[in-house]
Amino acid sequence: QVQLVESGGGLVQAGGSLRLSCVASGRTFTSYYMAWFRQAPGNGREFVAAINWDGGRTYYVDSVKGRFTISRDSAKNTVYLQMNSLKPEDTAVYYCAARTAGTIDYKYWGQGTQVTVSS
């Protein structure tokens, strides 16, 4: 079982930056693939970025490539999402998620943190 708690959301002007954090508690953080998803009002949940167990591989949705960076600090059981050059269309609730290696579905989810980008 893994518990995930996100923080770092807020209100920022277009072009600004935010860093989201997700602290994981429970078993063996390093065995989990971690990801960030987001959900804007009226939309479904969208994949944003993912990172493998040792941080050696990262994946991004096209709309955030070159602007967002996902990273993890295993010593702190934390995964980060650095978001630069934010756009109003990045406004959403951002969720941290975890899955074990060898599985497809993200089984564990945080409660979400609101990111609002004003124009």
Side-chain angles (χ1 to χ4, degrees):
Q1 191 78 1
V2 175
Q3 293 79 43
L4 304 173
V5 179
E6 304 99 331
S7 62
L11 173 64
V12 64
Q13 289 187 335
S17 298
L18 283 174
R19 188 176 80 158
L20 305 183
S21 300
C22 172
V23 179
S25 60
R27 300 174 57 185
T28 319
F29 175 71
T30 55
S31 67
Y32 288 90
Y33 282 63
M34 304 296 297
W36 289 94
F37 289 76
R38 66 187 179 186
Q39 186 167 17
N43 291 351
R45 192 167 293 184
E46 175 190 35
F47 168 81
V48 176
I51 189 166
N52 74 329
W53 68 275
D54 66 355
R57 295 183 181 179
T58 57
Y59 309 86
Y60 299 93
V61 68
D62 286 347
S63 60
V64 308
K65 285 181 180 177
R67 300 188 299 120
F68 291 11
T69 302
I70 188 171
S71 61
R72 65 192 296 164
D73 184 339
S74 295
K76 297 181 178 179
N77 281 6
T78 302
V79 62
Y80 303 99
L81 186 67
Q82 177 66 45
M83 305 186 295
N84 298 329
S85 302
L86 283 161
K87 304 175 181 180
E89 52 264 43
D90 294 318
T91 295
V93 177
Y94 283 71
Y95 297 90
C96 176
R99 66 175 175 89
T100 54
T103 63
I104 297 174
D105 295 331
Y106 285 88
K107 182 177 180 179
Y108 305 103
W109 293 84
Q111 82 288 350
T113 185
Q114 176 70 48
V115 171
T116 303
V117 184
S118 63
S119 57

